[in-house]
Amino acid sequence: MRRLNRKKTLNLMKELDAFPKVPESYVETSASGGTVSLIAFTTIAFLTVMEFMVYRDTWMKYEYEVDKDFTSKLRINIDITVAMRCQYVGADVLDLAETMVASADGLIYEPVMFDLTPQQKELQRMLQLIQSRLQEEHSLQDVIFKSAFKSGSTALPPREDNSLQSPDACRIHGHLYVNKVAGNFHITVGKAIPHPRGHAHLAALVSHESYNFSHRIDHLSFGELIPGIINPLDGTEKIASDHNQMFQYFITVVPTKLHTYKISAETHQFSVTERERVINHAAGSHGVSGIFMKYDISSLMVTVTEEHMPFWQFLVRLCGIIGGIFSTTGILHGFGRFVAEIIFCRFRLGSYKSTSVPLSDGHTSNHLPLITDNSTH
């Protein structure tokens, strides 16, 4: 009884077989079929390797939402070198939400040489090259996001030479915290003095001939400091053509949450528009000489997430490649074989076309003459 049930089950499974086997004696091979099979296998191997490379790669997904965090402080990371002595310049932030100067105690004034060493110039040229490529190819920003890591650094290397010359510039670096509202970070002549109606700078004791706001921005970022990220103003260098010159940077800051396989941080991206002009009150160009960075906070927050293709999707795409190539090559081979048979059949019919034989009564016969034994002798 069990054997009967097994036999019935086996017969049922045979009827459900969607892949019937053809006996080898019924299979006919050909040179054209082998050529098509070789092309198909080569194409499958090539596309499989390409698909595996796509599977290994990742991409960045951008999501936008309204930033509801209004109470936290915004961190500004600064590393700027100005071609003036430290006792002649002062940096501070004027917050538009208040009429007082935000504290800039987190900044360090370090006397340095404005000219760079060959190693520092090489890094600066590399940063400027990356910035120019980023302006042309925006997709490179995704590469920078994916390659960012906490141990990397874009800061200039320390000077290797022991110059005997006295420092002629001031490096202002450090960080400070401000409210998440529009503000103005500026570096101008004299130290800042806050008072109830605003602020002022002690610039009376500094002669106009010593004004030189040529500067180099080694780093400027907002939010958490991520050394591997290259910001739009990193590597920027401006040389003043006049003593009374104003450099302005209009910055739009966008809060950004970055989640990659290497790092997860809350930082800020920003875009910048630059402008510079010479202060000439007689010509109607009013203002104060210095470096002014006017920033505004966007109300939108961007979440950047690094994503990877699921393994099941890779298998589905791989099966589609293999099955699709087999089906397509089979159809093309069958169609080519059908066309070839039609052409060769017509050629064969033309070779056996009937010939005309004249008869004694003046008629012609379209039938082929019979070959007999007498005709051969």
Side-chain angles (χ1 to χ4, degrees), residues 189-206:
V189 178
K191 303 299 180 179
I193 301 176
H195 58 83
R197 293 187 177 182
H199 76 292
H201 288 263
L202 288 175
L205 302 178
V206 182

Side-chain angles (χ1 to χ4, degrees), residues 47-339:
L47 293 181
T48 300
V49 173
M50 297 298 295
E51 189 65 29
F52 181 72
M53 293 177 64
V54 173
Y55 170 71
R56 291 185 56 190
D57 194 15
T58 58
W59 62 88
M60 308 305 294
K61 180 181 179 182
Y62 292 82
E63 296 178 341
Y64 303 89
E65 59 181 320
V66 177
D67 185 16
K68 300 179 181 179
D69 185 10
F70 304 106
T71 58
S72 63
K73 296 290 185 177
L74 176 63
R75 171 170 169 160
I76 306 179
N77 307 294
I78 301 166
D79 190 351
I80 302 175
T81 302
V82 185
M84 292 182 66
R85 298 184 183 276
C86 292
Q87 61 267 27
Y88 295 157
V89 295
D92 61 323
V93 179
L94 180 60
D95 195 344
L96 296 184
E98 303 175 358
T99 57
M100 61 180 295
V101 179
S103 176
D105 297 334
L107 298 179
I108 300 174
Y109 295 80
E110 178 184 353
V112 294
M113 297 293 297
F114 188 77
D115 292 334
L116 299 176
T117 62
Q119 183 181 6
Q120 292 175 334
K121 289 181 179 179
E122 184 65 25
L123 179 60
Q124 187 187 29
R125 282 195 297 267
M126 183 187 68
L127 286 176
Q128 292 175 351
L129 178 60
I130 294 176
Q131 295 290 4
S132 62
R133 293 295 299 274
L134 282 173
Q135 294 177 2
E136 299 175 358
E137 303 178 14
H138 300 284
S139 59
L140 290 179
Q141 185 63 48
D142 293 348
V143 179
I144 294 177
F145 280 151
K146 290 189 288 185
S147 61
F149 51 95
K150 292 184 178 181
S151 60
S153 178
T154 57
L156 288 176
R159 298 185 66 93
E160 297 179 353
D161 58 337
N162 297 322
S163 178
L164 299 177
Q165 298 179 358
S166 60
D168 59 350
C170 183
R171 179 190 175 198
I172 304 174
H173 61 98
H175 64 273
L176 49 91
Y177 292 91
V178 297
N179 296 322
K180 293 184 68 174
V181 293
N184 181 8
F185 170 77
H186 52 272
I187 302 174
T188 186
V189 178
K191 303 299 180 179
I193 301 176
H195 58 83
R197 293 187 177 182
H199 76 292
H201 288 263
L202 288 175
L205 302 178
V206 182
S207 63
H208 285 70
E209 299 298 327
S210 61
Y211 286 15
N212 185 4
F213 284 100
S214 300
H215 61 280
R216 183 178 59 252
I217 304 176
D218 297 324
H219 180 78
L220 178 69
S221 64
F222 297 83
E224 183 179 346
L225 181 60
I226 305 178
I229 298 295
I230 298 178
N231 296 277
L233 287 177
D234 292 354
T236 300
E237 183 175 284
K238 299 290 184 180
I239 304 299
S241 59
D242 191 273
H243 295 290
N244 297 326
Q245 192 159 349
M246 173 189 288
F247 296 91
Q248 293 176 308
Y249 299 91
F250 301 93
I251 300 173
T252 301
V253 184
V254 181
T256 304
K257 292 183 179 180
L258 182 61
H259 301 286
T260 67
Y261 291 104
K262 293 183 178 180
I263 193 172
S264 180
E266 293 187 4
T267 181
H268 291 71
Q269 300 180 83
F270 66 90
S271 60
V272 59
T273 302
E274 304 176 11
R275 184 188 177 190
E276 58 182 83
R277 59 188 177 93
V278 176
I279 303 300
N280 189 348
H281 299 285
S285 178
H286 304 289
V288 179
S289 303
I291 305 168
F292 296 85
M293 298 183 178
K294 299 181 180 181
Y295 60 90
D296 194 4
I297 312 298
S298 175
S299 59
L300 292 178
M301 181 175 62
V302 182
T303 302
V304 184
T305 308
E306 185 178 5
E307 292 192 346
H308 188 272
M309 180 188 297
F311 184 70
W312 65 266
Q313 187 175 355
F314 168 71
L315 292 180
V316 171
R317 292 166 64 98
L318 192 61
C319 293
I321 289 174
I322 297 174
I325 291 177
F326 267 117
S327 301
T328 304
T329 52
I331 293 173
L332 293 177
H333 180 251
F335 179 75
R337 191 171 183 179
F338 172 73
V339 173

